[in-house]
Amino acid sequence: MHQAHHQAARPVFRVALSMSGAISAGAYTAGVFDFLVQALWELDQARKRTPDDPSLPGHDVAIVGMAGASAGGITAALGAIALGYAQQEGLGLTQVPTESGGSLPCMLPRLYNAWVQSPRMVGLTDTAPCLLSTEDLAGDALVSLLNGAVLDKIRDDALAPRSGPKSNSATPFTWLAEPLHVYLTVSNLNGVQYDVKGDDSADAYHMVNHADRLHFRISGLGSNTRATSDWAGCDSAIAMNVDALLETAGTAAPWRMLGQGALATAAFPVGLEARLLQVERADYQRRLFPAPDFPGAAINPAWPASQMAGVSYDFVSVDGGVINNDPFEIARFMLLDDWRNPRARNPRDPAQAECAVIMISPFPEGAQVPGMADLDARLVRVITSLLPTLMQQVRFKLDELAAAASPKVASRMLIAPRKTGQASGPSSSANIACGALGGFGGFLAQSFREHDFQLGRRNCQDFLKGWTQSKFTTAQQTPILPLFGSARETVAVPVTMPMMARADCAILLRRIRQRADALVPVVLRGHVKWWLWRFLIRCAWVLHFRGLLMDRIAKVITDDLTARGQLQPDRRRRDPSVRQDKA
């Protein structure tokens, strides 16, 4: 009774997470989320053990919802699934194995498995499925350069219950809102048509929106009804509850949809398989858009006749990060109290802030413009530059990022890769091992992903120690989310960047060549009908183009890893400045 009275009287500092796209660097995002869960859980445990401890904060901290794109979307979706099973399997700090035979601390082993142990370019054995294995190329249809079936298994493993002892009671977490909202951005290749009309006009302006999203409203995962989002609660959503996850062993339709949505938001174009999604058309009716000039604007689609049959709407989706790589605006609107007011915004002053969006971005520096030497107006260069130009433009969000970077705005926080023990100062993707090869480098070695997962945990710990900007804590300069229990123990990460062995790099290149050799016949069978042309092209591939391509790939990989200090030195090479005597 005493504890219940205190909980009812305490104010709530509400948090919404915005998780950026990051390809393999999602291992860093998963690490940040893992430690945040640990800190929230340990605070709750401390309240239960010693409710009258004066060091406990006079307020609660609760996650209202998560918005994720690409790798961030996978973390949001699989993180929610992991928390759902944690109600039954138990939650607490545990040790997870590393590839070298050691162990690392972790709160959500399911999320660790999905991001650190499972996704790899080369399997642990020659026959193990991996991104470069070829079991997906049996037919004539080529859907991606890499083997997307590996991601299907990661999804299925995340949704499947674990064997072993389980708790008899599934107790919702007090540090999660009830309900909890999860948004995943997806790039809808089909598009949704809208007719926009003026107040006094019968004419309509036709537009097609490809920046789509999936909204999941999860009940039973949290218990804090005072932290729930009014805006997200009024938005159309796929309703689901934790009981269905536990009772059906992850086979309930909404939870399967959450798993499929995780793959859809991370379907990197060309590299990974595009995903077919089937949603109810009713989910688009009265959908709320986080439009700053028209808060809560609900606009209904103008469905063409071809899409009016039945109640479902099917579309092909690729990576949500193509159009919306930082779904910050969705996270911000989840926190708005007076979202119907065109001038509404969350309190920004450090002495008044009562909520905050925490952005998790493994690549905080974003894109950079080419130098003068890269200027090229020839047709081929213009064509190849067009897609990156469009992607970077739709990602340009000046007002949001400028506010997040300002020390005077306490409602927008950023957790990004920093060196060990560096709580402030410049952040950079150069500090993560998965940043190589444009973000694909993490799939080359599990040690890269282990490093970034733990760096994410450490960076989150450092952030929480110095996070004091709120109306509940500014006067005392105490942390908004103080650390208790195991969260106080310093998270250790390697001081040096992990390196890939030369032998492993050679195996990687061999598997790339094998995958390429298997891809060529599939492409020819699907697109070249005359057998003679197929024969000639295959001969040209084997005799000439394969060698050129492999040389180029080998150079790109070795040069980038070497420049980042992530490739083991070639001990066979000798210093040319030292005279070598003939034998």
Side-chain angles (χ1 to χ4, degrees):
M1 190 73 176
H2 182 73
Q3 171 71 4
H5 172 74
H6 276 274
Q7 182 175 357
R10 288 193 297 267
V12 183
F13 190 94
R14 297 172 299 128
V15 174
L17 302 180
S18 173
M19 306 182 188
S20 304
I23 314 179
S24 69
Y28 174 85
T29 304
V32 173
F33 182 71
D34 187 82
F35 187 85
L36 180 60
V37 167
Q38 181 180 350
L40 290 166
W41 182 78
E42 286 287 11
L43 173 58
D44 185 58
Q45 296 302 301
R47 290 196 190 280
K48 293 176 180 178
R49 289 192 303 266
T50 54
D52 294 320
D53 184 347
S55 66
L56 290 168
H59 64 276
D60 290 330
V61 181
I63 298 176
V64 173
M66 300 179 282
S70 192
I74 289 185
T75 303
L78 300 192
I81 293 171
L83 287 172
Y85 276 117
Q87 288 189 2
Q88 186 180 75
E89 298 169 351
L91 186 61
L93 191 65
T94 186
Q95 295 292 320
V96 289
T98 63
E99 193 172 36
S100 62
S103 64
L104 293 173
C106 174
M107 283 295 288
L108 299 172
R110 287 176 178 271
L111 193 59
Y112 178 84
N113 176 71
W115 265 119
V116 178
Q117 294 176 302
S118 296
R120 54 181 72 238
M121 285 288 186
V122 177
L124 296 177
T125 65
D126 287 341
T127 59
C130 58
L131 291 172
L132 289 175
S133 57
T134 58
E135 62 269 10
D136 63 319
L137 301 177
D140 293 339
L142 178 64
V143 295
S144 61
L145 294 182
L146 299 175
N147 180 12
V150 174
L151 302 184
D152 291 336
K153 187 177 186 307
I154 292 175
R155 174 201 59 201
D156 294 342
D157 288 346
L159 284 167
R162 298 270 176 95
S163 59
K166 295 180 175 61
S167 172
N168 294 325
S169 61
T171 304
F173 300 113
T174 60
W175 35 271
L176 294 177
E178 168 58 20
L180 181 76
H181 298 274
V182 175
Y183 283 85
L184 308 179
T185 66
V186 292
S187 297
N188 185 333
L189 296 186
N190 300 70
V192 181
Q193 181 174 312
Y194 291 88
D195 291 347
V196 180
K197 299 181 179 180
D199 293 337
D200 301 322
S201 175
D203 298 327
Y205 187 84
H206 306 290
M207 296 189 300
V208 176
N209 181 36
H210 295 275
D212 214 338
R213 74 188 193 219
L214 300 173
H215 175 199
F216 300 89
R217 184 173 64 246
I218 308 176
S219 299
L221 196 56
S223 64
N224 197 322
T225 56
R226 294 174 297 136
T228 190
S229 169
D230 184 53
W231 178 80
C234 294
D235 186 27
S236 59
I238 300 172
M240 54 207 301
N241 60 75
V242 172
D243 290 340
L245 172 72
L246 303 179
E247 292 171 0
T248 67
T251 61
W255 289 95
R256 295 295 301 179
M257 184 63 182
L258 179 59
Q260 185 69 359
L263 301 189
T265 187
F268 192 87
V270 182
L272 297 173
E273 177 183 351
R275 300 289 171 167
L276 177 64
L277 294 178
Q278 183 180 77
V279 298
E280 294 186 5
R281 283 192 291 112
D283 290 339
Y284 288 86
Q285 300 303 119
R286 304 298 299 171
R287 171 177 285 191
L288 299 183
F289 288 82
D293 294 328
F294 304 95
I299 307 173
N300 294 329
W303 299 106
S306 60
Q307 295 178 344
M308 289 298 291
V311 298
S312 67
Y313 166 57
D314 301 352
F315 64 93
V316 176
S317 170
V318 296
D319 198 310
V322 170
I323 298 178
N324 189 355
N325 198 55
D326 296 285
F328 175 87
E329 68 283 358
I330 294 177
R332 185 174 76 87
F333 265 75
M334 277 195 278
L335 296 175
L336 281 176
D337 286 329
D338 190 16
W339 54 270
R340 293 175 178 85
N341 182 351
R343 299 181 181 275
R345 74 179 188 183
N346 296 311
R348 294 183 173 186
D349 187 271
Q352 298 297 322
E354 57 188 5
C355 62
V357 174
I358 297 180
M359 302 172 64
I360 307 174
S361 179
F363 293 93
E365 63 273 1
Q368 297 181 0
V369 297
M372 292 299 294
D374 296 324
L375 297 179
D376 189 342
R378 289 176 294 181
L379 180 60
V380 173
R381 181 58 185 269
V382 170
I383 293 174
T384 58
S385 300
L386 189 58
L387 180 59
T389 298
L390 296 175
M391 290 175 59
Q392 292 167 19
Q393 182 57 45
V394 297
R395 293 176 177 181
F396 184 74
K397 303 174 181 180
L398 179 62
D399 55 338
E400 296 167 4
L401 298 180
S406 173
K408 298 180 180 180
V409 177
S411 61
R412 308 182 183 197
M413 297 294 164
L414 174 66
I415 300 179
R418 289 184 169 86
K419 294 181 180 179
T420 305
Q422 184 187 52
S424 60
S427 58
S428 171
S429 61
N431 297 323
I432 56 175
C434 295
L437 302 177
F440 275 94
F443 297 135
L444 303 186
Q446 182 173 325
S447 61
F448 293 179
R449 303 188 296 277
E450 292 170 357
H451 172 277
D452 289 1
F453 184 85
Q454 286 300 101
L455 182 63
R457 284 176 46 81
R458 174 58 180 268
N459 283 173
C460 184
Q461 184 182 53
D462 291 338
F463 166 78
L464 294 180
K465 288 179 179 179
W467 187 30
T468 62
Q469 303 93 326
S470 87
K471 71 177 185 179
F472 308 127
T473 60
T474 298
Q476 299 82 15
Q477 286 296 300
T478 56
I480 295 173
L481 178 54
L483 304 181
F484 289 88
S486 64
R488 286 179 172 174
E489 300 174 6
T490 301
V491 177
V493 293
V495 177
T496 59
M497 191 71 75
M499 304 178 72
M500 186 178 191
R502 287 276 174 175
D504 292 337
C505 188
I507 295 173
L508 169 71
L509 294 174
R510 175 170 58 84
R511 296 297 294 272
I512 292 175
R513 185 182 69 248
Q514 292 173 348
R515 173 87 182 170
D517 284 340
L519 282 171
V520 171
V522 177
V523 174
L524 294 179
R525 287 197 302 268
H527 299 280
V528 181
K529 302 303 180 184
W530 193 27
W531 69 270
L532 181 57
W533 275 117
R534 292 201 299 267
F535 173 76
L536 293 175
I537 293 174
R538 290 192 66 174
C539 288
W541 163 255
V542 173
L543 297 175
H544 182 66
F545 291 107
R546 179 174 64 184
L548 291 177
L549 178 63
M550 289 306 303
D551 288 344
R552 176 61 178 168
I553 291 175
K555 178 175 174 53
V556 169
I557 292 175
T558 56
D559 285 356
D560 195 23
L561 291 180
T562 300
R564 294 174 61 92
Q566 292 180 239
L567 184 62
Q568 186 183 71
D570 189 352
R571 303 188 185 280
R572 296 173 301 177
R573 296 184 178 181
R574 298 181 177 181
D575 189 342
S577 64
V578 178
R579 179 177 177 270
Q580 304 293 333
D581 294 329
K582 293 183 179 181

